[in-house]
């Protein structure tokens, strides 16, 4: 069969360079995959064919003329010299591709009709809560899996309101189908930090998406109504120390609580869409008193504008926690440096990165 095919090919007219390009565009189906092995998504294409393209007709005529010999050569990839290959073209995202995703996420952050005018805080919370379920002993949970897409995890009390963040990112996922939800959520959290004036946070892609069977049990995220013993139990389970616990708490510089989500109400700082060390300075300088209302126990400042939760005040009650509160209140650069390191650690807990995966530092839109 192979000798007959070679004879037919020798006798057949040589395709022009334009013909080879046309045949090539037909016969290379594209498959997008992330940098690590995961469930392949077939059928996506990075480009579109021009209107009126006749590549299918040309290729069909060519293979029909070759008959069985042509199919043999195609299936054994011996037509590669003619620009026809049965091997799918693999798409490997580059740093530029991830930067493009970052830029598009940055474009959808601001919205005057949402909360304080930005989706940044809720996207940061999405990445935090997706990661904060990790258990170092059982090696379960963490950002690898994006299991908050499914009930019961999506219905856990600590995740109330995060459907807003997940839905906000759906157009980005549709535009870039090659990126996993797991990688997208963490990239978006990093984008939110940087675009809200926070520090650069290193990013490594390589998370895969899992199904409902990988959902974590309720109770793995911090309970804001509890104090230092609870905080240590939660964060030590993930592998953090006291300094890292306080640094991560600094994320409360942004965002606010909602009565229809956590039950609490109000922002922690006067600039809830800007990443600063104000959370720590306010903890130390303001006089916090218990709020008199029908909601859960929370504290308020003298102006009755800001609030703190029992878990926040625990950082001032505990002497080991308090010394780090004082350090961060004194120097925002120190806070930013240590926050960047610990939030990167949080986002990477339990992720089986492929050896040699490069770290990306995104360029912010304000750079």
């Amino acid at each position: 069969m192979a000798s007959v095919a070679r004879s037919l090919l020798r006798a057949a007219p040589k395709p022009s360079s334009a013909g080879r390009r046309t045949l090539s565009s037909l016969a290379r189906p594209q498959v997008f995959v992330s940098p690590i092995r995961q469930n392949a998504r077939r059928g996506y294409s990075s480009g579109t064919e021009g209107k009126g393209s006749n590549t299918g007709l040309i290729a069909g005529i060519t293979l029909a003329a070759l008959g069985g010999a042509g199919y043999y050569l195609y299936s054994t990839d011996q037509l590669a010299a003619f620009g026809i290959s049965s091997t799918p073209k693999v798409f490997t995202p580059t740093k530029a591709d991830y930067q493009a995703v970052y830029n598009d996420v940055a474009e959808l952050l601001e919205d005057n009709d949402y909360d304080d005018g930005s989706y940044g805080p809720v996207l940061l919370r999405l990445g935090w809560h997706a990661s904060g379920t990790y258990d170092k002993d059982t090696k379960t949970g963490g950002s690898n899996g994006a299991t908050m897409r499914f009930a019961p995890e999506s219905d856990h009390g600590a995740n109330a309101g995060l459907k807003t963040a997940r839905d906000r990112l759906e157009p980005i996922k549709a535009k870039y189908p090659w990126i996993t939800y797991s990688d997208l959520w963490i990239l978006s959290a990093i984008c939110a930090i940087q675009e809200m004036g926070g520090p650069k946070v290193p990013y490594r892609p390589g998370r895969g998406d899992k199904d409902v069977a990988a959902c974590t049990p309720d109770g793995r995220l911090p309970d804001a109504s509890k104090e230092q013993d609870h905080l240590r139990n939660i964060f030590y389970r993930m592998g953090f120390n006291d300094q890292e616990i306080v640094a991560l708490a600094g994320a409360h510089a942004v965002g606010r609580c909602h009565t229809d989500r956590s039950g609490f109400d109000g922002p922690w700082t006067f600039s809830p869409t800007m990443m600063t060390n104000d959370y720590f300075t306010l903890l130390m300088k303001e006089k916090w008193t218990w709020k008199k209302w029908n909601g859960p126990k929370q504290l308020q400042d003298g102006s009755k504008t800001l609030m703190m939760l029992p878990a926040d005040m625990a950082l001032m009650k505990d002497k080991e926690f308090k010394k780090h509160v004082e350090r961060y209140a004194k120097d925002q650069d120190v806070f930013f440096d240590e926050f960047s390191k610990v939030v990167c650690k949080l986002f990477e807990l339990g992720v089986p990165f492929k050896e040699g995966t490069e770290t990306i530092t995104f360029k912010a839109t304000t750079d």
Side-chain angles (χ1 to χ4, degrees):
M1 175 68 76
S3 62
V4 174
R6 284 194 292 271
S7 298
L8 287 170
L9 285 172
R10 291 193 188 101
K14 295 286 195 274
S16 66
S17 60
R20 286 195 295 272
R21 285 194 298 270
T22 303
L23 290 172
S24 174
S25 67
L26 164 81
R28 289 178 179 166
Q30 296 180 330
V31 176
F32 293 93
V33 297
S34 73
I36 65 166
R37 185 175 180 182
Q38 57 181 292
N39 293 332
R41 292 177 174 270
R42 302 186 63 89
Y44 295 112
S45 173
S46 61
T48 56
E49 297 236 0
K51 292 182 179 180
S53 172
N54 60 357
T55 54
L57 178 61
I58 293 173
I61 292 172
T62 303
L63 293 176
L66 294 174
Y71 175 77
Y72 171 80
L73 293 173
Y74 175 76
S75 64
T76 55
D77 214 25
Q78 295 184 46
L79 293 180
F82 287 79
I84 302 175
S85 176
S86 61
T87 303
K89 184 178 179 181
V90 176
F91 173 74
T92 302
T94 64
K95 289 184 179 180
D97 293 313
Y98 286 105
Q99 181 69 55
V101 178
Y102 176 102
N103 294 343
D104 280 356
V105 172
E107 284 295 316
L108 59 73
L109 291 181
E110 292 187 13
D111 187 334
N112 291 331
D113 294 327
Y114 179 74
D115 239 10
D116 294 297
S118 173
Y119 279 88
V122 75
L123 290 180
L124 171 54
R125 182 169 164 246
L126 174 65
W128 207 116
H129 284 217
S131 306
T133 58
Y134 185 67
D135 186 309
K136 63 181 175 58
D137 295 324
T138 62
K139 302 294 188 295
T140 57
S143 65
N144 189 50
T147 49
M148 201 194 303
R149 291 170 293 146
F150 309 109
E153 191 171 335
S154 60
D155 297 328
H156 291 169
N159 293 330
L162 288 178
K163 184 178 186 300
T164 298
R166 298 193 299 272
D167 289 349
R168 186 70 171 175
L169 294 176
E170 279 302 319
I172 305 295
K173 184 68 173 74
K175 183 175 180 180
Y176 302 98
W178 47 266
I179 192 169
T180 62
Y181 280 102
S182 302
D183 271 344
L184 176 59
W185 290 359
I186 299 305
L187 184 156
S188 300
I190 290 173
C191 177
I193 292 168
Q194 296 189 176
E195 295 300 313
M196 290 190 292
K200 297 287 187 183
V201 179
Y203 173 79
R204 283 195 294 172
R207 298 162 187 80
D209 291 338
K210 298 180 181 179
D211 61 23
V212 65
C215 282
T216 54
D218 200 0
R220 287 196 177 185
L221 292 167
D223 183 338
S225 69
K226 297 182 180 179
E227 299 188 333
Q228 51 265 47
D229 289 345
H230 169 75
L231 291 177
R232 286 193 171 97
N233 287 335
I234 291 292
F235 285 93
Y236 285 7
R237 186 205 71 225
M238 290 186 268
F240 293 112
N241 60 35
D242 287 352
Q243 172 264 315
E244 292 171 320
I245 292 172
V246 179
L248 285 172
H252 283 172
V254 298
R256 64 167 57 237
C257 288
H258 305 76
T259 55
D260 61 343
R261 298 179 188 180
S262 64
F264 301 108
D265 184 50
W268 287 269
T269 71
F270 291 107
S271 53
T273 62
M274 288 296 297
M275 195 76 187
T276 65
N277 68 335
D278 287 356
Y279 169 74
F280 299 109
T281 60
L282 289 165
L283 259 178
M284 294 188 62
K285 293 180 179 179
E286 290 294 324
K287 182 178 180 180
W288 299 96
T289 59
W290 291 108
K291 181 177 180 177
K292 296 178 181 179
W293 71 321
N294 293 325
K297 291 178 64 176
Q298 68 176 67
L299 298 98
Q300 60 188 5
D301 71 328
S303 70
K304 299 182 179 181
T305 303
L306 306 179
M307 64 98 208
M308 288 287 170
L309 307 176
D312 298 310
M313 299 309 297
L315 303 184
M316 293 293 290
K317 291 181 179 180
D318 187 282
K319 66 178 183 179
E320 290 301 315
F321 287 155
K322 186 177 180 180
K323 68 183 182 182
H324 298 296
V325 173
E326 292 171 342
R327 287 195 309 116
Y328 297 147
K330 185 182 298 184
D331 194 327
Q332 180 169 280
D333 290 340
V334 171
F335 165 55
F336 273 11
D337 177 63
E338 295 184 10
F339 177 78
S340 174
K341 292 173 182 175
V342 71
V343 81
C344 178
K345 176 180 174 178
L346 171 69
F347 290 161
E348 294 192 349
L349 291 175
V351 181
F353 292 109
K354 185 178 179 180
E355 185 176 353
T357 299
E358 289 189 73
T359 297
I360 302 171
T361 300
F362 292 115
K363 181 178 180 180
T365 60
T366 54
D367 289 350

